[in-house]
Amino acid sequence: MDAAWPAPDRHDAGGWTFRAAEGVTQRANSIWPRSEQYGGDQCSDDLPGLLREARAWYRSRSLPVIFQVFDTPAASGLHELLDAEGFTRQSETLVMTRSAVDARIPAGATPEVELSTEPSGEWLRVWWEVDGRGGEDSLAVAETILKGCPSVYALVRDGDGRASAVGRLALPGGSGQGGLYCMATLPAARRQGFAAAILQSLLRAGNERGVDGFWLLVTAANRGAQQLYGKAGFREAGRYLYRQERPQRALTGC
């Protein structure tokens, strides 16, 4: 997941990875506390010291301190510290997975889906109109994040030929896994089966490239998307949430 959405600015400290991308998306501007996710020898006995280091690193970049923390027993100590420090809890997110051998990929999906290995200007426009926050400078940073990992980009047009829905399959090297990101449909084009067609097309693209399995991320509040992914064979495999200090500036995107 980290390799599929790579922050261009990063620093490792005591089992934590600090990530920054000029404030574009929470994920790319958050701390990944690997030690608290997995446990083991990387766990630090000095969580307050690591938090002080994190605050200094993010403040030097004029960014708030945000953690992406999984809901696991290994992270309980970190959650207790963040509770005591007044960090908010927000954006609870489900990690859903499915096997590449799952048979639920219907044949002959319509409408036609265009696939490419680079995000076109039309693809970026649709995604940014739905999920983006900020202007052209922020979009340029987001494009850098997207291109930091080999990917397949899917686009569907409406009956008048206008780009209306998009999606991305990230293919981080060496993992054997594919991650579905940037599923977005313009409001006027919803309820026409575009998202399902894109999902099916990207699953096929992953299978053709030898992917062993797939994951995706969806907010706990988005029941409609969860139903769509459930019909395609995805099941919840874990959850995380963001813990945020009082922000110094607004962050953009998901």
Side-chain angles (χ1 to χ4, degrees):
M1 289 166 52
D2 178 60
W5 200 264
D9 185 9
R10 52 199 300 128
H11 172 69
D12 291 328
W16 293 1
T17 297
F18 306 162
R19 303 176 294 190
E22 300 181 32
V24 178
T25 79
Q26 280 187 314
R27 190 180 304 122
N29 292 271
S30 63
I31 298 167
W32 173 28
R34 301 188 313 276
S35 55
E36 280 68 32
Q37 181 179 349
Y38 297 119
D41 295 337
Q42 291 186 5
C43 288
S44 171
D45 294 328
D46 186 18
L47 294 181
L50 279 175
L51 181 56
R52 286 194 297 273
E53 183 175 351
R55 280 174 164 149
W57 195 85
Y58 280 96
R59 284 172 180 166
S60 72
R61 291 157 175 78
S62 300
L63 292 170
V65 180
I66 302 175
F67 286 81
Q68 182 189 28
V69 190
F70 278 77
D71 186 12
T72 64
S76 60
L78 177 57
H79 279 299
E80 290 174 3
L81 172 64
L82 299 180
D83 286 340
E85 293 287 330
F87 278 67
T88 62
R89 294 172 179 253
Q90 56 185 256
S91 303
E92 184 181 18
T93 301
L94 279 63
V95 180
M96 301 183 74
T97 61
R98 55 156 277 170
S99 167
V101 300
D102 192 302
R104 278 168 285 187
I105 306 179
T110 55
E112 182 179 353
V113 179
E114 301 173 16
L115 298 180
S116 66
T117 57
E118 294 284 335
S120 67
E122 288 179 305
W123 190 100
L124 289 167
R125 178 186 61 77
V126 172
W127 173 58
W128 201 244
E129 185 171 336
V130 175
D131 284 340
R133 304 291 186 275
E136 291 300 316
D137 290 346
S138 294
L139 176 56
V141 175
E143 185 175 1
T144 298
I145 295 171
L146 294 172
K147 291 182 176 180
C149 168
S151 302
V152 177
Y153 297 87
L155 180 146
V156 166
R157 300 180 184 277
D158 65 14
D160 295 321
R162 293 175 298 221
S164 298
V166 297
R168 169 182 179 247
L169 174 65
L171 299 165
S175 73
Q177 302 288 305
L180 290 161
Y181 288 84
C182 305
M183 294 287 293
T185 304
L186 294 178
R190 290 173 185 167
R191 301 187 182 278
Q192 299 181 48
F194 291 173
I198 284 192
L199 177 60
Q200 293 160 13
S201 184
L202 290 177
L203 291 174
R204 289 196 193 95
N207 284 346
E208 291 168 359
R209 288 160 176 77
V211 167
D212 298 327
F214 299 89
W215 84 87
L216 58 83
L217 312 172
V218 57
T219 60
N222 193 342
R223 302 293 185 184
Q226 291 171 40
Q227 291 178 357
L228 170 67
Y229 301 139
K231 290 178 181 178
F234 284 88
R235 297 292 179 265
E236 181 180 342
R239 295 187 179 213
Y240 67 81
L241 70 158
Y242 291 101
R243 305 296 310 269
Q244 182 170 348
E245 194 174 39
R246 189 162 49 246
Q248 298 172 352
R249 59 180 286 195
L251 295 188
T252 63
C254 54

